[in-house]
Amino acid sequence: MAVDPQAYRPERALTALGDPFYDAVPAANFPRTILRFRNDRAARQVGLDTLDDAEWIAHFGRFAPLPGSLEQPLALRYHGHQFRVYNPDIGDGRGFTFAQLRDDRSRLMDLGTKGSGQTPWSRFGDGRLTLKGGVREVLATEMLEALNVPTSRSFSLIETGEELERNDEPSPTRGGVLVRLSHSHIRIGTFQRLAYHRDEDAMRRLTGYVLRELYGEDSDDPIRLLELVVARTATLAARYMAAGFVHGVLNSDNINVTGESFDYGPWRFAPVWDPAFVAAYFDHAGLYAFGRQPEAILWDVMQLASSLRLIAESDPLIAALDGFAPAYQPAIAEAVLWRLGRTPRGGEEDRALVQAVERALRSTQVPVDRFFFDAFAQPLPQTYDTAWDEVRALLEPYAMRRARDHAYWQGEPCSMLIDEVEAIWSPIAAADDWGAFGAKIANIRAMGDALA
């Protein structure tokens, strides 16, 4: 295998948790494997960018094991609250953890799949992913990475040659298999399952695994774990808001204990700052609406705290949960100022600016991406009327974080609204034309370089 032996560092830490945490499963045998997307930027960080396309397909389409890593795919077991209803009958139903390895920051990373076949947790599903669903996830993760949201990264997308039947899109539709690179696939729901079964030994083992392997702390203290998860998820919630992003399905089985966003289904970017904007057509009550995401994420973290009561006292768990709001406030200020190209000043000045920006965006309905593009590292243009006077005045004392000197600023804002997603998919569906998809990835990455 053509890998850089200095950069490729395989791991198999997950196996130390033992059989109760996963089921060994086979990958589906696909009729065809056509490489549609490979993320060499991400692959370079784990020493896999030197694979040729045939090797890439062998590992990420046929799932030949990576040397030194997991010997067979592992479908993880978990439970979760889905739209606040507890479900003990879920787990990895169309994916598995394929490999573990270290990245160039020495973090333990998982290569996990979506659409790789049936598992014991598939229930009545076929274990497959539509190619369109894979394209949508690539677009979501590329956009979120560029906007500084902690996210899994779409590593590979391969078309499988299958025709899938779906109720929510024209069928038959083309199939695909996605591989994502993620800082763990341990979810809040993983802890909930152990609490449900009253398995104290496994709960302690999982707590120690997360602290040591994912947070780099020599500890097995459940209170410390909750404190870390609270801080990370508060940052995630703040960055969702600054990005104008709506995940759509913030169930407790979709919240990673590292605070990294993943598993993108009915996601949307809000065109304007509308707290009631929803992504999922089935979210009739607006439970996971744009403006309710911090509340939803905190509710999920509360389920982690509840699960940890199996091995910890309630009072210190409650105290740890109380840290969410104090962590969220500076995180949202930092995230908004990052997108504005400004250096935070700290305290009430930052908070006042964020509140003024939110008020002006809501009252004027200026597109979210348009505002952040126009205001990045320069005075707010005079085309913004008196409704923006407060924002203009509050911005004035802030130092610029970087110059507006990238070619990206000579064009138009890079957005990812639902109409554009459909416009990118349409030529793929009609004529197998991937030009618009490739061009959009390039544009997103240019934006990320300009913002970084």
Side-chain angles (χ1 to χ4, degrees):
M1 188 177 78
V3 298
D4 179 351
Q6 300 300 315
Y8 174 65
R9 293 183 290 164
E11 289 279 0
R12 41 184 301 149
L14 187 61
T15 60
L17 286 174
D19 293 342
F21 288 87
Y22 47 70
D23 294 274
V25 294
N29 184 20
F30 300 117
R32 301 174 69 192
T33 46
I34 307 167
L35 181 58
R36 295 304 191 184
F37 173 78
R38 57 177 284 172
N39 190 339
D40 282 321
R41 292 202 314 180
R44 191 173 303 116
Q45 294 177 351
V46 291
L48 293 175
D49 57 307
T50 53
L51 295 177
D52 63 32
D53 283 354
E55 292 172 318
W56 188 279
I57 289 169
H59 291 299
F60 308 124
R62 298 298 181 190
F63 296 102
L66 287 171
S69 190
L70 302 179
E71 295 177 357
Q72 54 192 336
L74 302 176
L76 303 185
R77 300 176 181 180
Y78 47 85
H79 291 178
H81 278 89
Q82 299 182 308
F83 285 84
R84 304 281 167 92
V85 177
Y86 193 76
N87 188 348
D89 298 318
I90 54 176
D92 278 342
R94 57 172 174 167
F96 48 64
T97 300
F98 167 62
Q100 290 188 299
L101 59 177
R102 297 280 171 184
D103 70 3
D104 55 4
R105 296 161 55 189
S106 294
R107 297 186 304 165
L108 179 65
M109 306 296 288
D110 291 350
L111 287 170
T113 64
K114 191 174 184 177
S116 51
Q118 290 182 311
T119 78
W121 309 104
S122 298
R123 293 178 289 174
F124 303 108
D126 62 9
R128 303 306 202 259
L129 172 70
T130 67
L131 184 63
K132 183 179 182 181
V135 166
R136 283 175 45 82
E137 181 140 342
V138 172
L139 293 172
T141 55
E142 289 284 328
M143 192 74 175
L144 289 172
E145 181 185 356
L147 291 173
N148 202 32
V149 176
T151 179
S152 64
R153 301 171 74 186
S154 296
F155 195 80
S156 171
L157 179 61
I158 289 175
E159 187 169 358
T160 62
E162 295 180 313
E163 293 188 341
L164 306 178
E165 295 291 333
R166 292 292 185 271
N167 295 326
D168 56 353
E169 62 180 277
S171 296
T173 187
R174 294 151 70 175
V177 62
L178 179 86
V179 176
R180 66 167 71 99
L181 180 67
S182 184
H183 187 32
S184 170
H185 283 81
I186 301 295
R187 312 148 191 261
I188 288 174
T190 313
F191 286 82
Q192 288 181 281
R193 178 180 171 274
L194 301 179
Y196 181 90
H197 290 296
R198 308 297 299 173
D199 192 337
E200 292 187 35
D201 288 344
M203 183 73 82
R204 293 183 191 282
R205 193 156 69 249
L206 181 60
T207 298
Y209 173 88
V210 172
L211 283 166
R212 286 188 294 273
E213 300 292 349
L214 306 181
Y215 281 99
E217 298 217 352
D218 185 17
S219 171
D220 58 5
D221 179 7
I223 307 304
R224 179 59 180 158
L225 172 63
L226 185 60
E227 290 171 346
L228 292 166
V229 174
V230 163
R232 290 277 187 93
T233 53
T235 296
L236 173 63
R239 294 191 187 177
Y240 272 174
M241 299 304 291
F245 180 72
V246 188
H247 183 282
V249 191
L250 291 174
N251 296 330
S252 62
D253 57 298
N254 283 340
I255 303 296
N256 190 329
V257 293
T258 62
E260 185 181 84
S261 181
F262 76 117
D263 201 15
Y264 302 101
W267 61 268
R268 297 281 190 277
F269 282 89
V272 296
W273 197 276
D274 176 8
F277 181 79
V278 297
Y281 68 87
F282 46 81
D283 187 5
H284 304 296
L287 182 64
Y288 298 143
F290 175 51
R292 296 184 68 182
Q293 290 182 119
E295 167 203 334
I297 290 172
L298 174 57
W299 191 92
D300 288 327
V301 177
M302 290 169 65
Q303 309 320 302
L304 174 60
S306 179
S307 299
L308 289 171
R309 287 181 60 194
L310 186 64
I311 59 171
E313 296 296 324
S314 295
D315 287 350
L317 290 169
I318 292 169
L321 285 173
D322 287 343
F324 189 92
Y328 177 80
Q329 291 300 334
I332 185 66
E334 181 183 354
V336 168
L337 284 159
W338 181 89
R339 207 171 170 192
L340 288 168
R342 265 70 169 190
T343 301
R345 294 169 64 87
E348 285 302 314
E349 289 177 275
D350 293 350
R351 186 173 182 178
L353 174 61
V354 170
Q355 291 172 342
V357 166
E358 290 181 354
R359 283 194 298 270
L361 282 169
R362 287 185 68 176
S363 66
T364 65
Q365 296 292 281
V366 170
V368 173
D369 296 321
R370 177 86 256 172
F371 162 68
F372 282 111
F373 182 91
D374 289 343
F376 184 89
Q378 68 176 6
L380 197 59
Q382 291 305 312
T383 51
Y384 282 71
D385 64 19
T386 55
W388 291 90
D389 284 351
E390 182 184 16
V391 173
R392 186 177 282 108
L394 289 171
L395 274 173
E396 189 173 348
Y398 280 86
M400 302 302 180
R401 176 171 60 82
R402 63 164 298 171
R404 193 182 171 98
D405 55 1
H406 192 281
Y408 168 76
W409 302 114
Q410 305 306 311
E412 288 294 309
C414 178
S415 296
M416 184 55 69
L417 304 182
I418 187 60
D419 289 347
E420 185 170 6
V421 175
E422 294 299 324
I424 290 168
W425 172 250
S426 182
I428 296 173
D432 207 32
D433 179 356
W434 292 77
F437 174 78
K440 189 63 183 183
I441 297 297
N443 186 222
I444 292 170
R445 291 184 174 185
M447 176 181 69
D449 292 342
L451 289 170

